[in-house]
Amino acid sequence: MHYLDHAATTAVLPEAARIACRVMTEQFGNPSSVHKMGIEASGILETARREVAALMNAEPSEITFTSCGTEATNLALSGACRRKGRGRHIITTAIEHAATLNTVRRLEQEGFEVTYLQPDSSGHISVDDLRAAIRPDTALFTCMLANNEVGTQLPVREFGAVLKKRAPEALFHVDAVQGLARIPIKPKLWHADFISVSGHKIGAPKGVGALYIRKGVHIAPLLFGGGQERGLRPGTEGLPGIAAFGEACRLRREQMQENYSKVEQLCALFRAGVEARFPWAVYNGMSDIPHVVNLSFPGCKSEVLLRVLEMRNVYVSSGSACARGKASHVLAAMKLEHARIDSALRVSFAPSNTQKDVEALLDALEEGTKRLRRA
Ligand code: PLP
């Protein structure tokens, strides 16, 4: 199998799976129980929190565990905006993940006014556009660190500086789901109040995420219950997933540079192969991180090409996995023509990929594009 769809999800790291299994079968206490097993479980929870915090350059007390990146973003945006006394204006970008866009749309229905910053044709968002959009009643600006479809990196440091200068009361949320363990997370440098991350993009199981909440920032919870996670995310903690997430963060932190170089080399190899074998292919957006590359093979519908690749055990994606066949809103916002959007493939690498995976992908693309261009 040649899996090159790591922006959709990743395999669980064996070390993380081992810990999850141990927590499910042996150390299965409830962190809220006061007996020995509960205390042991609480220790596992706090160890994981320290590891996530370390990878995010944050304090453990600033990390709240959630069920996924989507929940972390919902908690940040809804929690921040529903607080009394805040302005009614939100700024975001047109290239956000559905987790952000649909939460913001919901807030729009509740009476918030939203400004959507538009990307240029390379998928970048300008700092000047943010500056121009800020108003005295801006309550929140939310944007991603790295785009999941085209791999652009947004200038969050500059965004944070401009936001806090023009609207010091406004809160800043960064969706770092695709950036974690790839790009260093710098909450203070970015002036970030909230940062969402997700376990399954970095080798932890699905069903665990986290939200960084800057010390001193208070938000309203989405759920009500037993007071876990300082009342912000009540419900018995999903400890197997959380423990595995902590372990994945520890490993990713130790190997971050080495992993980045590996992915960079794989991406360069792929690009060289594309140049040599498909000089007619066009790249969509400028992928600033080597983990995500988006390109179109004109004349080859991506849904069909995907099936041909799949028959050769090669797995990539046609845009974002969450969009499930819908035309990409990111490529549409970049104003690419329909035929290009219709033939766009997203290839996303992980350090576990090898040269063989890249070669298999190039061979499968050769077969697929020949077949489809002839048809
Ligand atoms: N934000 C981005 C940029 C993503 O790529 C994703 C998942 O694809 C999410 C948020 C949602 O994360 P989760 O799948 O953990 O809910």
Side-chain angles (χ1 to χ4, degrees):
M1 196 215 356
H2 305 283
Y3 183 81
L4 294 137
D5 197 15
H6 291 95
T9 197
T10 60
V12 176
L13 295 168
E15 298 88 339
R18 267 199 294 279
I19 288 194
C21 189
R22 200 175 68 217
V23 171
M24 283 190 281
T25 56
E26 294 169 34
Q27 299 171 305
F28 56 85
N30 184 327
S32 298
S33 296
V34 293
H35 51 61
K36 210 164 126 191
M37 280 186 74
I39 292 165
E40 179 182 56
S42 169
I44 293 168
L45 177 65
E46 295 317 315
T47 301
R49 200 185 307 281
R50 276 196 298 278
E51 292 300 349
V52 176
L55 184 57
M56 295 181 72
N57 291 301
E59 296 291 324
S61 62
E62 294 174 311
I63 303 299
T64 299
F65 285 112
T66 63
S67 67
C68 56
T70 298
E71 189 195 328
T73 294
N74 270 262
L75 177 59
L77 306 193
S78 298
C81 289
R82 292 200 177 117
R83 279 190 61 217
K84 284 204 185 77
R86 294 239 159 244
R88 306 291 287 174
H89 178 230
I90 299 169
I91 307 172
T92 188
T93 86
I95 60 167
E96 296 303 306
H97 187 270
T100 295
L101 287 177
N102 286 332
T103 307
V104 161
R105 275 183 202 127
R106 177 73 202 206
L107 290 163
E108 216 169 358
Q109 284 164 11
E110 288 176 18
F112 284 86
E113 215 183 307
V114 183
T115 302
Y116 295 89
L117 304 180
Q118 299 299 321
D120 61 18
S121 61
S122 72
H124 288 107
I125 303 283
S126 116
V127 179
D128 286 339
D129 286 355
L130 171 64
R131 192 178 286 112
I134 297 170
R135 307 191 324 206
D137 65 337
T138 300
L140 177 84
F141 171 50
T142 169
C143 75
M144 55 196 356
L145 171 60
N147 184 271
N148 51 308
E149 293 195 37
V150 292
T152 42
Q153 187 177 340
L154 274 63
V156 290
R157 180 181 171 178
E158 290 81 355
F159 282 163
V162 163
L163 182 73
K164 296 292 172 168
K165 188 167 176 211
R166 294 228 152 183
E169 295 298 311
L171 295 170
F172 183 26
H173 168 255
V174 179
D175 169 358
V177 167
Q178 293 291 344
L180 185 69
R182 295 163 186 163
I183 301 163
I185 307 286
K186 305 257 174 82
K188 292 202 173 56
L189 192 71
W190 303 347
H191 299 282
D193 298 291
F194 309 104
I195 303 174
S196 301
V197 294
S198 175
H200 75 105
K201 310 287 186 184
I202 69 154
K206 291 149 192 70
V208 60
L211 179 65
Y212 160 88
I213 306 174
R214 183 172 61 79
K215 206 179 277 172
V217 173
H218 299 286
I219 58 168
L222 294 177
L223 304 176
F224 300 90
Q228 291 90 344
E229 297 297 285
R230 292 168 290 120
L232 270 181
R233 210 293 182 165
T236 302
E237 301 85 348
L239 203 56
I242 290 174
F245 189 20
E247 180 64 2
C249 285
R250 186 183 72 75
L251 291 165
R252 295 298 192 197
R253 181 163 54 87
E254 281 174 1
Q255 300 159 0
M256 196 153 149
Q257 271 187 354
E258 183 192 332
N259 282 345
Y260 196 95
S261 308
K262 260 192 215 166
V263 170
E264 217 166 25
Q265 281 165 22
L266 291 166
C267 181
L269 193 69
F270 174 63
R271 282 178 177 274
V274 169
E275 206 173 299
R277 294 162 75 169
F278 316 97
W280 45 275
V282 273
Y283 286 98
N284 301 316
M286 188 175 303
S287 75
D288 299 312
I289 52 166
H291 303 74
V292 180
V293 177
N294 195 311
L295 73 176
S296 291
F297 295 90
C300 307
K301 225 172 155 20
S302 47
E303 295 301 326
V304 186
L305 188 51
L306 214 70
R307 298 285 159 246
V308 181
L309 301 191
E310 187 186 273
M311 280 179 333
R312 296 191 63 151
N313 256 335
V314 174
Y315 296 90
V316 298
S317 163
S318 61
S320 127
C322 305
R324 286 199 156 265
K326 273 194 245 148
S328 156
H329 69 282
V330 175
L331 301 184
M334 286 160 58
K335 298 204 166 44
L336 303 190
E337 63 213 40
H338 183 74
R340 194 156 148 197
I341 298 179
D342 215 34
S343 60
L345 282 191
R346 177 186 71 179
V347 179
S348 47
F349 302 99
S352 55
N353 282 128
T354 61
Q355 192 171 334
K356 275 210 170 78
D357 294 325
V358 175
E359 283 159 7
L361 169 62
L362 291 166
D363 289 346
L365 281 171
E366 182 137 7
E367 182 194 320
T369 53
K370 263 191 195 143
R371 220 201 273 182
L372 296 184
R373 293 208 329 155
R374 232 185 285 126

